[in-house]
Amino acid sequence: MHHLSEKIKKHELSKTHMDSCLRLSALGRVNIATQLDEGYRLAVRRHNDEVSKNRHILSRLIQCVKFCGVFELALRGKDETEGSTNPGIFLGLVNFVAQLDEVFEDHLKNAKVFKGTSKTIQNELLECMLAVVREHIVEEVKSANFIAIQADETTDVSTQTQLVLVLRYIDSNHKVQERFFEFLPISESTSVSIASVLLERLNGLFADDEKVKLIAQAYDGASVMRGEKAGVQQKKLQKKDIDAVFIKRSLDSFTSSVQAIRDSSTAAARSHRSQKTQNSFERR
């Protein structure tokens, strides 16, 4: 105890004590690994830079796929090997973008794991875009007051029978939209099979309270019945109980919506003619 004060001062100046005091003051307040470990902070910064670069590369690939889709151009070429004179429109666009983007060009030259130009990546990007488009269509359909279903049977090049599903509705801008939604595989071209597949898909697409908005189903039965007298039109896709009051209210709402579109179009035409006449007088 005679040397206690001297030993305390020596202990307070030791590295172990100062480290312990620093940890105690920071306990529960900050992330010690983030504040003290410079290597950890550098690793986080490097990771974020790599994520930003990967997103930039992926955005360039998506833009090339979107360009082909907007102009209905085939992505694949006859020969997609390096040095080919006809690699396809997608790879041609990729090479063109690389000439304008140094980061993208460096990626194409030095990428070891993910290059992004394979047919698998192209198909995955197309599937992702399709999912986004379908979500957008579903949101528009849910906000529409009336929905018309169009269905028709078709056969692809592999003789596989498919059902084409098209949705018609009036969007929030009072414009009639006709959207191709998807192909539905069917086992056989009979009214029972087609109606069953269509009903199953509509049940998954619309909730029970939204099915009352279905006002029409169109189908070209002449090309598909193959001797059957009954068509898909005879299969009931709407409610069995018919509410006359609801039908009248729906028809009145539909008529009002159509009249509103006509009035807005007439007003726009009058405004355009008036502006055109005024400009003519000003030029004179």
Side-chain angles (χ1 to χ4, degrees), residues 29-252:
R29 298 181 181 180
V30 295
N31 189 331
I32 303 300
T34 304
Q35 295 295 323
L36 301 180
D37 190 353
E38 183 66 22
Y40 177 77
R41 286 184 290 176
L42 290 175
V44 171
R45 188 181 303 114
R46 192 180 302 112
H47 172 75
N48 293 336
D49 293 341
E50 189 67 21
V51 170
S52 300
K53 178 183 176 182
N54 291 338
R55 289 178 177 176
H56 175 75
I57 299 302
L58 187 59
S59 68
R60 290 289 184 259
L61 296 172
I62 293 175
Q63 289 171 359
C64 292
V65 175
K66 286 173 60 179
F67 180 89
C68 295
V70 168
F71 294 98
E72 299 182 0
L73 302 173
L75 278 72
R76 303 290 301 279
K78 184 177 181 181
D79 182 10
E80 296 186 352
T81 59
E82 294 186 6
S84 172
T85 58
N86 184 20
I89 297 177
F90 174 76
L91 291 182
L93 278 174
V94 168
N95 294 330
F96 175 72
V97 173
Q99 297 177 9
L100 307 176
D101 191 326
E102 294 182 357
V103 176
F104 190 53
E105 181 182 17
D106 179 71
H107 167 77
L108 294 178
K109 290 181 178 179
N110 302 318
K112 302 296 183 183
V113 179
F114 173 79
K115 191 173 182 180
T117 57
S118 66
K119 62 179 182 180
T120 302
I121 299 301
Q122 296 175 27
N123 292 335
E124 289 181 354
L125 291 177
L126 290 172
E127 289 291 336
C128 293
M129 293 179 183
L130 177 60
V132 172
V133 171
R134 282 180 177 171
E135 289 180 2
H136 176 72
I137 294 175
V138 170
E139 291 298 324
E140 285 189 338
V141 166
K142 288 182 177 180
S143 62
N145 294 325
F146 305 97
I147 308 166
I149 303 299
Q150 292 183 336
D152 197 359
E153 178 266 352
T154 184
T155 304
D156 59 15
V157 294
S158 63
T159 67
Q160 174 64 41
T161 304
Q162 297 177 335
L163 190 67
V164 180
L165 180 60
V166 178
L167 304 179
R168 281 175 58 89
Y169 53 91
I170 300 177
D171 62 14
S172 57
N173 296 323
H174 304 293
K175 294 182 179 180
V176 178
Q177 301 291 350
E178 182 173 302
R179 307 286 195 188
F180 163 77
F181 194 73
E182 62 183 338
F183 287 107
L184 298 174
I186 54 178
S187 58
E188 52 184 349
S189 300
T190 62
S191 61
V192 176
S193 177
I194 293 174
S196 175
V197 171
L198 186 58
L199 279 170
E200 182 179 357
R201 187 64 184 97
L202 294 179
N203 288 332
L205 186 60
F206 299 104
D208 292 337
D209 57 340
E210 294 176 340
K211 293 177 183 177
V212 296
K213 299 189 294 184
L214 300 175
I215 61 174
Q217 296 82 36
Y219 189 85
D220 180 13
S223 63
V224 141
M225 288 304 97
R226 295 184 182 177
E228 291 193 5
K229 296 180 180 179
V232 177
Q233 293 92 337
Q234 295 176 324
K235 304 301 177 181
K236 304 223 175 185
L237 299 180
Q238 293 180 318
K239 297 190 303 180
K240 294 182 179 180
D241 53 330
I242 300 176
D243 188 348
V245 177
F246 170 78
I247 293 176
K248 185 178 184 305
R249 186 167 58 248
S250 299
L251 289 176
D252 291 341

